[in-house]
Amino acid sequence: MNKLKRQLLAGPYLVWIIGFIILPLLMILYYAFFDENGSFTLEYLSHIASPINVHAMVLSLELGVAATVICLLLAYPLAMILNNLKIKNQSLIVFIFMLPMWMNFLLRILAWKLLLNKNGVLNTVLMSIGLEPVMILNTPAAVVFGMVYEYLPFMILPIYNSMARIKKDYIEAAHDLGANEITIFFKIIIPLTLSGIISGVVMVFVPALTSFAVSELLGGGKVLLIGNVIEESFMQGMQWNAGSSLSLVLMIFVMVSMTIMNIFDKDGEGTAVW
Amino acid sequence: MVKKTLSNVYMTLIFLFLYLPILVLIILSFNDSKTRVEWGGFTLKWYIECFQSETIMTAFATTLQITVISAVVSTIIGTLAAIGISAMKAKSRAFYLGSTNIPLLNADIVTGISMMLLFVKFVDLGFVTVLVAHITFSIPYVILNVLPKLKQANRSTYEAALDLGASPLYAFYKVTWPEIRSGVFSGFLMAVTMSLDDFSITYFTKGAGVNTLSTMLYTELRKGIKPELYALSTILFFTVLLLLLLVNYLPNRKKSTTVERV
Amino acid sequence: MKKALINFVDISKSYGKQLVLDEFNLYVRENEFVTLLGPSGCGKTTTLRLLGGFETPDKGQIFFDSQDITYLPANERKLNTVFQKYSLFPHMTIAENIAFGLKISKKPQAYINDKIKYALKLVNLDGYENREIDSLSGGQQQRIAIARAIVNEPKVLLLDEPLGALDLKMRQSMQYELIRLKEELGITFVYVTHDQEEALTMSDTIVVMNQGYIQQIGTPEMIYNEPENAFVADFIGESNIIDATFIEDEVVEILGVKMPCVDKGFGKNTPVDVVIRPEDVELVDPSEGYLEGDVTSLIFKGVHYELDVMANGYEWLVHTTKLVPVGSHVGIKVTPFNIQIMNKPASSDEEAVEIDE
């Protein structure tokens, strides 16, 4: 097979890209900018500025950032510990962190709901050792907790991968040139894992920003995120145009994240994927 | 020493955090009690009832069909695409990789809605639309698992095979395939995982009649969950664990036996 | 004689069950270019890593400037290393790489800038400050690595096979560059290599090592001309190593023929090894030689011909500039001065080995 013939093998995928990736996105644009009669309008876009939407967007951003930062703070030390274990079989690590995903995530979130319940396991334990029970359920904190739980593996794996790639020579060279552990951490390890950090941040921030199931389950309907607003406008209100214009806003957020990631990901093909 | 202990404690806490809910679900699946929180003795009745519930069994069957078909189809399309992409020049390569990143990085809710908006124009939402959606978001995982393997694969060995008179197909099967096989396989596994775990995209593309386990759960959760579902998910979890362990250890065994024979 | 700057005292080190260094003793003088030479696994890199502070010995002490540095961490030692595989930081420019050590020691920016300029000039890469690491060739990267080390003005520069990854041409020009640097900077070099040519070209002193033991310490001339055992003779260049008997002072019997030599003091009728370098074997008329033999193979090597001559049951390796066709009957003669007598190996590490190089 010469090169040209080999390229043709991507043909079916090209059809798929156009039909099921690009065309659907154009549909969102269409619904966001055209009304039922097919005439152009900016009306739906202006709905974005309504108090409910703005509140939902700000809350989504806040919770998304909080979840991302917590994930990063939890994942980075863990990645370092895992890396120090010097496990030869790196796929084992991937395996361990992917395994929970084989249990349906709604059920896992439900399990947390049972654990965090007013009379749940956590509070039973807390009260038995004489501490105040925590009423975290149905608060934004519970939603952040759920997001951290659900997306933590997406932060751990890219950071671990980029850390495993750092050659021992760099560390030794820095040591040799007089750097102590702290300097090595800030000047060598963090910069060299930056692409992993960025991938992790994007892979946690985007789904956290746009989730609606977690907030529905752990927020008890009291925490309204942009995802919930969109879901309602499609599944309950039949306000497809308004929903589409909000989706467009989400897409822009995502595109910005993608661009940032591309700038930092010099290898081009993504530490994004495990 | 202190550092080591701290590391181990930290690692254990994170693992506990990730696995605690699973443990809870497994325990609850054996719990003979109406209220979920209290332990009412060991029972297998939820396992029996779960197989007798028509809702659960239908959703389970749908989930299996969609997962298997979408994983197989996306593995085929994705592997072919990866081979094609690896032969491309930088520009078309960038287009393909960029497009591949869209479903990967785009918000699930946006992907789901965008496809729903397209599908309702032409067909009724149902099994097929869910299937197409699952194939769409699975292909990128396959491509990104196969592409690095193709990059590592020694191009000259394929050309050497041709030089020695092999047909392109034979050369691919004998030379290229063994080198990318593991990538194709992990891509397939990833596709299965993503399909099984997906909720958002299925939710928007499924229409009224069809339910996968995820979407059924979402509806049920609002009503109050049935313990049968714990039983089912426990069974699923251990089946998958067993399969994955088999997959991980079988190839090694094969290798060692061939070595012995040599 | 200058004073000893570095002193290894009774150093032992093992990895798991493998003993890498056994009761190792060595001192290095100020301004000396010392090369640790040996096959892989001989302990030379471990010696260097102990000195650099990347390993600690199981037993023994290391002194630097008469101060015990055995357990001093790498970042507090006044020596710098040039690593085998460059190890330049990929996320920094060349200037940032060179400035790394200086910034840690909190030098003023103006001083740092001057140093970068000076160091780049020294390694013949002026103007490369803002280049990316990826854009450099292997040889250039290695020169930057040297620049990065020397700006810190270390008393000792450690080099771990720094030229190993370069091609032959580049290696040779870098050898001259290193000699020049050593002379300009006047600092001590401890150099690790398995390449005997490199060692012979650059060193003031060569330490030949095998299996964790020092085999011989000496100037390149001494090591080459008077190897102390079969291992050294075999590792440094090609040689004929022949079983022989030391009859009495200045007489040795090689392959049944008594020959005059210059060595004394090996006793009487003692079994010994003799080393005769291929270029020291003279081919003469059969009637004039100590032994007679036949040429069995002939290869043109550019500067000389390489011949195998079968004589008295031993296949002699001979380098000569004269063309002697295969099948010629020749005489073999060796000047007494060129016969090097060695004691028989006392342990396995002193034996001649096959080296794939």
Side-chain angles (χ1 to χ4, degrees), chain C residues 273-313:
Chain C
D273 282 334
V274 298
V275 174
I276 301 169
R277 296 287 180 193
E279 64 271 23
D280 293 336
V281 179
E282 295 166 49
L283 296 184
V284 291
D285 196 76
S287 56
E288 292 169 24
Y290 297 135
L291 310 111
E292 289 174 40
D294 296 297
V295 178
T296 56
S297 110
L298 170 80
I299 302 166
F300 178 59
K301 285 275 187 176
V303 189
H304 57 78
Y305 293 96
E306 185 180 297
L307 284 77
D308 287 337
V309 179
M310 199 65 190
N312 289 24

Side-chain angles (χ1 to χ4, degrees), chain B residues 77-147:
Chain B
I77 296 179
T79 306
L80 290 178
I83 295 171
I85 290 169
S86 72
M88 281 173 193
K89 295 218 176 75
K91 257 191 191 164
S92 18
R93 200 187 170 86
F95 165 77
Y96 275 91
L97 291 177
S99 312
T100 302
N101 269 330
I102 294 176
L104 213 58
L105 293 173
N106 205 348
D108 279 357
I109 186 170
V110 177
T111 308
I113 285 168
S114 70
M115 279 196 261
M116 177 191 82
L117 290 176
L118 178 76
F119 292 151
V120 293
K121 281 266 175 217
F122 303 101
V123 288
D124 288 334
L125 295 180
F127 184 84
V128 176
T129 52
V130 175
L131 187 61
V132 170
H134 277 232
I135 294 171
T136 310
F137 73 68
S138 297
I139 293 175
Y141 291 100
V142 178
I143 291 182
L144 290 171
N145 270 291
V146 178
L147 217 48

